[in-house]
Amino acid sequence: MGKHDRLKMPVKHLISFEKLLQKYDQHLKGDNPFLAATAERILAVEKGFPELRDGFSDFSLLEKNKDLIERILQDTFTEALSGNEIKVATLPFQNTIIKSSKRFQTIISEAGDNYEPELRNLGEEMDYIMSCVVILNYYYGYQLDFSRPYFYDIPDAAGVMRHYRILYNADFIDIIPTDKAKEITQEDVDELLANPTDATLWIEKIPPESFISKGFVIANLFDVTMEQAISNIKSKLISKDTLQPAKFMHDLQETFKSFFRLPNIKVGFASFDAKKDQFEEVAGMGFESFLLRGEHHMNCKNALCEDSYDKLIGSNSYYTIADIDLKVEQSGNMQPFKGLKEQGVQSAIFAPIAFENNLLGVLEIVSEKKGVLNGVNAQKLDDVMPFIVSAVVRTKNEENNRIDAIIQNECTSVHSSVYWKFQEEAKKFILDETEGRSPSFKEIVFKDVYPLFGQIDIKDSSQARNLAIQRDLMIQLSEIDNVLNIAFKKWELPIYEELIFRVNNHLESIKETLYTNSEQAIFDFVNDEITPVFEHLKKNDKDIEKHILKYESKIDMGTGSYYDHRKNYDESVTLINKKVSAIIDKRQESAQAMYPHYYERYKTDGVEHNMYIGSSISENKGYNHLYLNNLRLWQLQVMCEMENAHYSLKPKLPVPLDVASLILVYNTSLSIRFRMDEKQFDVDGTYNARYEVIKKRIDKSYIKGTNQRLTEKGVLSIVYSQKKDELEYLRYIKFLKSKGCFTDKIEIVELEGLQGVSGLKAIRAEILYKREQEPEKTYTYQDLMDALKE
């Protein structure tokens, strides 16, 4: 007897064979002599046992009347099919067995001593409610859809869990009300349907044992182990419950055992990184990998042989090994066979997990028995691979999102050329977090990189800005003076005269030169002294109010002062910065394709850029000094192009500002370190700090022995310290002159010593401006080499 027999359900079960025996009553009176003879034989059995028709709830009578029941159910359980059909005469949703087929008995006996099958998904309250739904349909006549699959989960002789779906035949059962049954209205049904899980309400409407089920049902069982395993694999992979990786892995292993119907298999997984051509462990999921053999990552060429590499990575097809010992012998103890044998593996299937022809990882299924995993049963994986692929794609996306979030949080935005390094650190961060260590994002350093610096600076920007501020302040003070004079004429108050005097003093003070503190002093004066007086005048004189409103209409809400000339200046700076930065940003895309390098660009009064190139920045591309030469040549061309873009833009600017360009050539490599506190890269170490000093002061330097500034409009200044660099850049300039970038006017000058820096020289090359901008074209270092050969 199952545990659910003890629950007080809405239905009290009476085992009865009345409905089956009624069929034989009809056959006895029928025309078919064969059916009549069978009926006579079966009906003779029940004579003297009225409980077989009337029903009984004392289940001990099942054993007592076992032979009688066997003969009554003889036709229902055909002997010819008994070895194949999985069939049980039982009570609905109960584990009581009245009679069963030989196949069912074999399944139960193989499951182990005293094994008692139990229906899956039965819970006391939900089971009560489901029984009520059956009563509403079969007795009260409501059409409620209660179709729900029921399963037995029974292990086989090898211990592999098998799953059987149950279909009930209810031809031989009746539902009869007792005196406890209540009248059920449509309103009652509506209330029950609105509260599908409220067991108390269902018990109130349909009380315990308010009905009797009289009869029995035939349960037909179908082996759905394969379908169930596929469904379980799908559910496991779709589930986001990764809080208990060990449980997840254990459940997945058990599911694959059912799927392959093999008790001794294990499942592993290795992630694949195409950039590095290596397998990697999956952090935090509890997956072991038989290919990685305990390592965190391994190059694919070391993990696989040529044949397995071609199949898994080359053609994304299954790779099966039915006999490891044979493979070890044939290959001369090569990997992966040697490593697998050391791990006790005797047969294996490796299945590539590929999405849109890109390999994401390898599913590893291994067994300690020879031949049980092979090329034939590998094909079974076709049914589950789509779910595995979608799960891995989702996991990869989630991991990438998590990596992005960590990088974003720890480092803000990161340039694409160095992103791979931040990803590596983020993966370590996740692994540390998962394994319970306190995670920290380690500082990122790139050693032996060559710097390139360039700037296109707005010439005399401070003077132009001061001039704009000076003009705006003078206009504002003049407008204030006009309003105060009107007020003084009308009211002749000495305070207005005194304010006029002070306004004129401020005007005189800025007429020639705008001093550093003048702007703030005037701003404070207007705010503290003028604004309150104007507010007073607006309230008391409608005529003066018009003049004040006209004055106020010209005041910018953002700055609280006149913003006309400054607006023109700011707009001009913005337009220049936008135009020239758009050019270098766009051209950077093609430069990155030549060789990956770090690039950053800042907008100040103009645009400056830093680039660093070297083997440590490129993730998987070999470095050659040629790439630095190529980038230097590229930088020269782009600087000329930016200058030309400004030249075309200048006539359209509100203020026709000039620019001056500069490149700094640094001969030795240095290290750059990502500063966590400032969220940016900076040169690393005191020796390398010299480079930063030069960079910050170079544009303010003078030509030695003169009062002439190094930078000048129309000229590109190239600052260097080594003769080798001078010769290299003269070669580039000669080449680009032939392409129409420079004129013949080229000079070499020495620079006055900067604080802490001496011995700098500069090539000053006059830029050739073009009336019409030519289509984009950059020349490579190879073009230069070809030109020099001519």
Side-chain angles (χ1 to χ4, degrees), residues 678-692:
E678 296 168 20
K679 309 288 189 198
Q680 67 179 43
F681 276 101
D682 202 352
V683 295
D684 190 35
T686 48
Y687 173 73
N688 295 328
R690 180 174 180 269
Y691 173 70
E692 288 292 336

Side-chain angles (χ1 to χ4, degrees), residues 227-252:
E227 292 82 350
Q228 188 67 37
I230 292 170
S231 174
N232 285 353
I233 289 168
K234 184 178 176 182
S235 303
K236 280 271 163 285
L237 295 170
I238 288 172
S239 164
K240 292 200 171 186
D241 179 24
T242 54
L243 297 174
Q244 297 173 288
K247 182 180 184 304
F248 174 86
M249 267 311 296
H250 175 267
D251 291 352
L252 201 61

Side-chain angles (χ1 to χ4, degrees), residues 81-115:
L81 301 176
S82 188
N84 190 292
E85 285 187 332
I86 314 170
K87 200 170 179 180
V88 189
T90 181
L91 296 175
F93 315 122
Q94 300 289 313
N95 297 318
T96 307
I97 296 170
I98 299 168
K99 176 176 167 61
S100 56
S101 65
K102 285 179 182 170
R103 173 89 185 275
F104 181 82
Q105 289 162 19
T106 304
I107 288 168
I108 297 300
S109 66
E110 283 182 353
D113 293 343
N114 304 316
Y115 184 83

Side-chain angles (χ1 to χ4, degrees), residues 533-544:
V533 172
F534 279 9
E535 289 302 316
H536 165 74
L537 287 169
K538 277 198 291 187
K539 286 174 191 166
N540 294 293
D541 193 307
K542 290 287 175 195
D543 184 43
I544 293 176

